[in-house]
């Protein structure tokens, strides 16, 4: 059996940050990737990362702080997220941003996104990020990446410490000894019908978008050894996808965070559109036939951001995914909602905007506490049929702030670490955009530092 200091399961952002960190510390590392390429859900993502106090924010005059980031995360998580994990994120986030920059990851823009009080969504091209980290790994002879090599099971030694990974290559079973630790970085289970049906039957009918290998293997392997799990009751889809959306082709638009409203097939609003798009997804799924539309006017359309993964509404128009109409009458006709109801909905909404008080749903901002809504009044008008996609399962294996996997009593399962989407506890009841890529990078590196400080098994 080959011997390594660390065996990492999964080559998404968490696994790749960990591989680079461990390799640079001189550790002998094996990274197992189930697919024939790196990237998992990471490379399908919109690329927003949540960091505060960065040079990019400073250059655009945005005042921000770790304290504000942490406070937003706790608020978005409904206060039930593990505060020690959120605090650890706060402690390491800025240094992680700088580490990524130093390792060639390019941050190209900043946007206000779900759950942030200020523009804090730092956008990467996830392919570029993974390629950069991969380039660095190739310079490190002590790091080996093995493709098409799914990890199957973990084994404990006589002292009860996890020290062996059973995996498969070319249909043959192999074993690797992990002398200092095993890091599970195998992502979530957005592609496992079995686990989704088991843990989130309410999401039947939601689109499934996520890394092809994300079947929750890591959760099963950790569970077998007594890992506790967290946040499963809060599994929600993400709102804002066109019903035809599938895979990497972008068919997502979050016009509601630029001022659109959401209406159901009856032409009625049903939610405060500034809240987390996870919670919007939940509300949208409760509408008749689960059908809803984002509706906006030219004022919102003018806020379209070229080449942005979430806000490029002009791209949606070019792809013929939008209805465009010169009058509300025409728009109501396009989406088959009763005109008088739609007119009344928009008129009430506009009145609320002018009065500074949305008496129906309490909307006072564009997203979270940021930005002011505008009336929907300037033709042409647009509608975008939108639905919910299960793209990331922000729930899973319990870890402590040192990325050590813990059992139901909060005790570390010796030798076992986890980072990235496979973990639970961090997001709590709600998800703030950018915090999942963020946590993958932050906790991937924390896990390595902790594991390498352990005494090696002999
Ligand atoms: C469409 C979309 C948009 C998103 N947008 C954002 C965003 O803007 N900001 C944000 O923060 N988050 C976003 N997310 C979520 C985010 O992308 C993921 O949570 C994050 O990339 C997870 O990183 P990871 O390294 O934990 O997992 P992944 O990137 O999914 O990597 C896991 C890897 O493990 C491999 N693997 C699985 N099982 C095994 C096994 N048994 N053995 C070996 N390898 C295995 C997989 O093949 C995969 O390559 C988005 C997700 C999607 C799908």
């Amino acid at each position: 059996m080959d011997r390594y200091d660390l065996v990492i399961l999964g080559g998404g952002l968490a696994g790749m940050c960990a591989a680079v960190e461990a390799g640079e510390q001189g550790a002998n590392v094996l990274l197992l990737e189930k697919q024939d390429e790196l990237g998992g859900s990471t490379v399908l993502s919109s690329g927003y990362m949540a960091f505060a106090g960065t040079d990019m924010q400073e250059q655009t005059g945005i005042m921000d702080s770790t304290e504000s980031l942490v406070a937003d995360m706790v608020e978005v998580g409904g206060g039930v997220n593990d505060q020690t994990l959120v605090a650890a994120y706060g402690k390491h986030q800025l240094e992680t941003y700088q580490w990524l920059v130093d390792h060639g990851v390019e941050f190209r823009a900043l946007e206000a996104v779900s759950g942030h009080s200020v523009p804090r969504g730092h956008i990467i091209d996830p392919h570029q990020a993974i390629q950069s980290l991969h380039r660095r790994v190739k310079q490190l002879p002590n790091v080996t990446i093995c493709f098409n090599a799914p990890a199957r099971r973990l084994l404990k030694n006589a002292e009860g410490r996890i020290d062996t990974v059973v995996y498969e290559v070319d249909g043959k079973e192999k074993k690797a000894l992990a002398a200092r630790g095993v890091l599970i970085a195998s992502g979530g289970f957005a592609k496992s019908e079995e686990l989704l049906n088991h843990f989130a039957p309410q999401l039947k009918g939601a689109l499934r978008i996520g890394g092809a290998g994300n079947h929750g293997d890591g959760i099963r392997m950790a569970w077998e050894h007594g890992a506790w799990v967290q946040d499963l009751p809060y599994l929600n889809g993400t709102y804002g996808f066109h019903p035809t959306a599938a895979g990497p082709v972008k068919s997502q638009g979050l016009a509601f965070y630029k001022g659109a409203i959401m209406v159901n097939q009856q032409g009625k609003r049903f939610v405060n559109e500034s809240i987390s798009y996870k919670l919007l997804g939940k509300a949208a799924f409760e509408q008749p036939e689960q059908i809803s539309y984002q509706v906006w006017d030219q004022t919102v359309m003018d806020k379209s951001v070229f080449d942005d993964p979430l806000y490029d509404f002009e791209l949606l128009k070019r792809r013929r995914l939008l209805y465009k109409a010169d009058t509300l009458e025409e728009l109501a006709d396009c989406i088959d909602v009763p005109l008088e109801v739609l007119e009344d909905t928009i008129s009430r909404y506009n009145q609320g905007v002018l009065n500074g008080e949305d008496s129906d749903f309490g909307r006072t901002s564009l997203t979270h506490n940021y930005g002011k809504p505008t009336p929907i009044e300037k033709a042409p008008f647009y509608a975008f049929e939108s639905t919910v996609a299960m793209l990331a399962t922000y729930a899973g294996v319990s870890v402590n702030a040192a990325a050590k996997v813990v059992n139901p009593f909060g005790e570390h399962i010796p030798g076992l670490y986890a980072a990235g989407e496979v973990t639970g506890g961090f997001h709590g009841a709600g998800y703030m955009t950018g915090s999942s890529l963020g946590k993958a990078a932050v906790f991937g590196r924390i896990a390595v530092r902790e594991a390498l400080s352990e005494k090696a098994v002999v």
Side-chain angles (χ1 to χ4, degrees), residues 8-15 32-35 37-50 149-152 185-188 209-218 221 241 247 250 252 277 310 391-392 394 419-422 431-438 440:
I8 300 170
L9 316 187
L13 188 63
L32 299 172
E33 170 51 54
K34 184 176 179 178
Q35 303 296 117
E37 58 184 0
L38 297 169
S41 283
T42 300
V43 293
L44 300 179
S45 78
S46 306
Y48 284 93
M49 297 192 75
R152 295 293 187 208
S186 53
I209 300 175
N214 291 22
H215 297 118
D217 300 354
M221 283 185 263
F241 286 84
K250 293 278 182 247
Q252 188 184 14
Y277 47 14
L310 304 179
L391 48 84
Y394 303 110
E421 199 182 308
V422 70
Y431 160 73
M432 168 202 268
T433 300
S435 59
S436 197
L437 288 171

Side-chain angles (χ1 to χ4, degrees), residues 61 114 255 271 289 373:
S114 176
V271 71
E289 295 172 70

Side-chain angles (χ1 to χ4, degrees), residues 260-381:
I261 56 167
M262 288 161 59
V263 300
N264 61 19
Q265 197 64 68
Q266 295 159 344
K268 292 183 180 162
R269 282 178 75 212
F270 51 88
V271 71
N272 171 350
E273 295 87 349
S274 72
I275 63 173
S276 159
Y277 47 14
K278 294 271 169 192
L279 301 177
L280 294 179
K282 191 163 181 279
F285 249 32
E286 286 161 6
Q287 300 313 302
E289 295 172 70
Q290 300 182 328
I291 294 175
S292 63
Y293 302 88
Q294 299 180 50
V295 170
W296 66 89
D297 69 349
Q298 191 56 40
T299 303
V300 173
M301 196 64 178
D302 290 340
K303 296 182 193 166
S304 173
V305 182
F306 175 70
D307 209 20
D308 184 277
L310 304 179
Y311 297 132
D312 193 344
F313 315 135
E314 293 289 351
L315 178 67
L316 297 177
K317 190 168 79 182
R318 287 198 299 282
R319 290 199 175 143
R320 301 183 191 283
L321 296 174
L322 297 187
Y323 295 99
K324 179 181 173 193
D326 289 331
T327 61
L328 285 181
E329 188 178 3
E330 207 187 307
L331 193 75
D333 198 33
C334 289
I335 60 176
D336 195 23
V337 301
L339 172 63
E340 36 325 329
V341 181
L342 184 67
E343 279 178 337
D344 181 57
T345 297
I346 292 180
S347 151
R348 280 179 71 83
Y349 177 76
N350 288 350
Q351 202 53 52
V353 170
L354 295 177
N355 298 342
E357 192 187 348
D358 168 17
S359 54
D360 292 326
F361 298 100
R363 181 178 199 176
T364 55
S365 61
L366 293 179
T367 174
H368 202 54
N369 301 319
Y370 181 77
K372 286 271 159 266
T374 49
I376 295 175
E377 58 189 9
K378 186 175 170 193
F381 301 98

